[in-house]
Amino acid sequence: MFRRAIISTIIYIFLTLLGLFFLVPLLWPVLASINPAATLAVKWPTAPSLSNYATILTNGVVIPPFTNSAIMAISTMILVVILSGLAAYPLSRFQFRFKNTLMLGVLFASALPILALVTPLYAMYVSLNLQDTLQGVILFFVASALPFSIWLMKNFLDSVPYELEEAAWIDGASTFTALIRVVLPICAPGISVVAVWSFLGAWTNFFVPLILLQTQELEPASVNIYTFFGSYGQVNYGQLAAYAMLYALPAVALYTLVSRFFVKGISGGLKG
């Protein structure tokens, strides 16, 4: 018993030290963002201030990129949730020929390396006059997120008892009404998983907007932060850290709002 307690204590100490080791890099943007004289060193500021946040918010540098990112991420999230739900419902509720083949095709599509498709897609976008447009980037985000979202949504719908829909039909509800009022509320954890996953995928994507967008006014925050510098080309680490903190805020806030659904939903999707 004593030996087991010693081993457990050693393991917990090791894991705590390991966690602190990974926590140090995360402390830098937090501390540097409130330090007007920030450097690459992780240290507590001598005179903490919010001047870095005030500067980047008032100089008009971050508002357009954040607006572009919000447009792309929210549009992608809404379209992915709607389209994946409409595609997953018949896959979950109906039996038809080649259903398993179709599901394997969806699973295969979700495993394709997206960056490998960017070059031929760019050529197609040029022919369709979709390059250097937010709509083109949104379409790419939606298309790349749909296969895995359909697979997840289908598994979530499988967990809803079919008898509940039949009871709603007996009470006079249409198929669409039963879907909206019976199935979707039960699938709220799964929908939250798909919504958060698609939002974060669009919000944090760097390479696709970098390749497809050439106009600086259309740059999302993920690309703009890469080229963010202070005066005369010198890096202002405090403002860069404040930019990074603001960039991470929407993702953290969204996850916090749906966290109680997220854990339940992701476990249900993996079981399916």
Side-chain angles (χ1 to χ4, degrees), residues 97-114:
R97 291 186 64 187
F98 306 115
K99 176 180 175 179
N100 291 335
T101 304
L102 179 59
M103 288 301 301
L104 290 176
V106 170
L107 185 61
F108 173 77
S110 66
L112 289 175
I114 300 303

Side-chain angles (χ1 to χ4, degrees), residues 162-175 177-179 181-182:
Y162 189 64
E163 292 76 10
L164 295 177
E165 284 186 86
E166 291 180 331
W169 297 337
I170 293 174
D171 291 337
S174 64
T175 302
T177 302
L179 174 64
R181 296 190 176 183
V182 177

Side-chain angles (χ1 to χ4, degrees), residues 28-34 53 236-246:
W28 181 84
V30 176
L31 297 178
S33 66
I34 58 176
Y53 291 96
N236 188 314
Y237 292 108
Q239 294 180 16
L240 182 62
Y243 197 139
M245 294 300 296
L246 292 176

Side-chain angles (χ1 to χ4, degrees), residues 204-227:
T204 60
N205 196 292
F206 169 75
F207 286 105
V208 173
L210 180 67
I211 294 172
L212 296 181
L213 299 177
Q214 288 81 45
T215 305
Q216 186 176 3
E217 288 73 17
L218 297 178
E219 284 184 353
S222 59
V223 176
N224 186 258
I225 195 174
Y226 173 69
T227 58

Side-chain angles (χ1 to χ4, degrees), residues 22 38 50 55 57 59 65 103 106 113 115 121 128 135 149 151 231:
F22 285 102
L50 297 177
T55 300
L57 288 174
N59 62 10
M103 288 301 301
V106 170
L115 292 180
L121 185 77
L128 296 176
Q135 297 93 319
S149 298
W151 183 271
S231 303

